């Protein structure tokens, strides 16, 4: 068995044990295998194993790696998890099924305009600057209801919210806050939890876990 499959199975078992312990019914978080910087030969074993959700953060790299594979495998879901520039939207929409990093109105307008050309709209997460960090992108929590309403008016398919909690701090307070936010906005999904804190994110019912190094190993 390929190492990436072993790693994925181990993570899935950990998550299943955690859900059993928490006694949550009908909760099945999706694991997004964050394959950025990894060559396709690392990724193919997971595709052959039947894994469907993959994440990339650079548009050019994703185009080169995934265009052909997605044409052959219609059930693969590709997630844009990195910062998205407006000039890249036209390349993202034909390839990606999910965008996890909607962080400003200009980008929302560009996606709205561009998605009219396609049959399927991407499912979108609003990125929230949950720790109010000046160096990070994301919508300020206080401006979120207003921003969300603008997105709905623009015809965007907002499925949930995404966050990157401050490094080296307890993610509990931020994950707890995210859960309150999605309940207030009446959204279905949360994109939170990465290689270091995915089990903690499961405690707060995160629906999409973005896991890279724990599956693929350390990046060179």
């Amino acid at each position: 068995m390929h190492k990436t499959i072993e790693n994925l199975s181990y993570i899935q078992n950990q998550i299943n044990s955690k859900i059993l312990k928490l006694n949550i019914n009908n909760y099945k978080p999706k694991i997004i295998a964050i394959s950025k910087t990894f060559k396709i030969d690392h990724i193919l074993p997971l595709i052959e194993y039947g894994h469907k959700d993959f994440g990339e953060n650079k548009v050019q790299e994703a185009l080169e790696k995934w265009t052909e594979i997605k044409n052959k495998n219609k059930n693969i879901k590709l997630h844009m998890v990195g910062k998205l520039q407006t000039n890249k939207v036209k390349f993202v929409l034909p390839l990606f099924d999910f965008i996890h990093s909607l962080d400003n109105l200009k980008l929302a307008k560009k996606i709205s305009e561009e998605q009219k050309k396609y049959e399927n709209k991407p499912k979108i997460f609003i990125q929230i600057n949950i720790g109010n960090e000046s160096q990070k992108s994301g919508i300020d929590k206080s401006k979120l209801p207003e921003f969300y309403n603008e997105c709905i008016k623009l015809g965007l398919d907002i499925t949930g919210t995404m966050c990157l909690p401050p490094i080296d701090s307890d993610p509990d307070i931020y994950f707890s806050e995210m859960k309150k936010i999605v309940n207030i906005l009446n959204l279905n999904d949360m994109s939170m939890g990465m290689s270091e804190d995915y089990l903690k994110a499961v405690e707060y019912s995160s629906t999409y876990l973005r896991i890279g190094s724990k599956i693929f190993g350390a990046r060179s």
Side-chain angles (χ1 to χ4, degrees):
M1 191 188 277
H2 196 274
K3 185 70 179 147
T4 52
I5 298 170
E6 277 179 25
N7 292 344
L8 180 67
S9 301
Y10 174 75
I11 290 163
Q12 192 65 70
N13 290 337
Q14 272 194 316
I15 291 166
N16 292 344
S17 300
K18 187 74 161 176
I19 291 168
L20 265 176
K21 203 171 162 188
L22 294 166
N23 197 18
I24 314 172
N25 294 325
N26 305 320
Y27 169 47
K28 272 193 164 172
K30 285 195 161 72
I31 296 170
I32 304 170
I34 305 293
S35 46
K36 63 182 186 185
T37 77
F38 285 96
K39 298 277 185 278
I40 207 69
D41 55 348
H42 274 75
I43 301 164
L44 282 174
L46 288 179
I47 295 172
E48 283 154 16
Y49 179 67
H51 192 70
K52 292 185 178 72
D53 292 273
F54 294 88
E56 293 284 339
N57 74 335
K58 289 204 164 65
V59 178
Q60 193 54 46
E61 185 189 338
L63 287 167
E64 286 162 17
K65 262 160 62 173
W66 288 99
T67 303
E68 197 182 324
I69 288 174
K70 275 205 79 195
N71 284 335
K72 287 181 190 162
N73 300 270
K74 298 293 180 197
N75 57 350
I76 283 178
K77 300 293 177 202
L78 201 55
H79 300 252
M80 178 65 192
V81 295
K83 182 156 180 65
L84 179 55
Q85 309 291 346
T86 50
N87 63 347
K88 296 280 170 54
V89 169
K90 61 178 179 281
F91 304 112
V92 163
L93 263 55
L95 186 65
F96 285 86
D97 305 279
F98 291 79
I99 295 169
H100 288 247
S101 47
L102 175 60
D103 60 0
N104 64 76
L105 193 55
K106 189 183 168 197
L107 180 58
K109 286 175 177 169
K110 187 67 185 169
I111 296 169
S112 169
E113 187 188 306
E114 202 65 35
Q115 72 180 7
K116 292 176 181 136
K117 301 173 189 174
Y118 302 98
E119 227 172 280
N120 299 323
K121 292 181 183 180
K123 290 198 172 299
I124 298 173
F125 293 83
I126 296 172
Q127 182 172 345
I128 300 171
N129 189 345
I130 200 75
N132 292 325
E133 297 172 276
S134 58
Q135 79 281 16
K136 273 189 189 163
S137 304
I139 302 298
D140 188 290
K141 290 170 287 190
S142 62
K143 301 189 174 117
L144 184 61
E146 185 191 337
F147 181 75
Y148 171 72
N149 289 332
E150 284 294 327
C151 290
I152 297 306
K153 280 183 206 160
L154 287 166
L156 300 184
D157 185 0
I158 303 293
T159 190
T161 57
M162 181 275 244
C163 77
L164 296 157
I167 295 165
D168 301 330
S169 63
D170 181 2
D172 270 282
I173 43 173
Y174 303 106
F175 289 168
S176 163
E177 208 170 336
M178 283 285 283
K179 195 168 182 182
K180 286 178 195 151
I181 287 167
V182 292
N183 288 338
I184 290 165
L185 295 177
N186 201 19
L187 292 166
N188 295 321
D189 291 312
M190 282 181 287
S191 169
M192 63 185 199
M194 295 163 77
S195 284
E196 299 315 311
D197 56 15
Y198 62 89
L199 288 175
K200 184 60 74 181
V202 167
E203 290 178 25
Y204 293 94
S205 309
S206 175
T207 49
Y208 287 87
L209 309 165
R210 310 184 305 273
I211 304 177
S213 57
K214 280 266 165 44
I215 295 173
F216 292 105
R219 293 190 171 85
S220 53

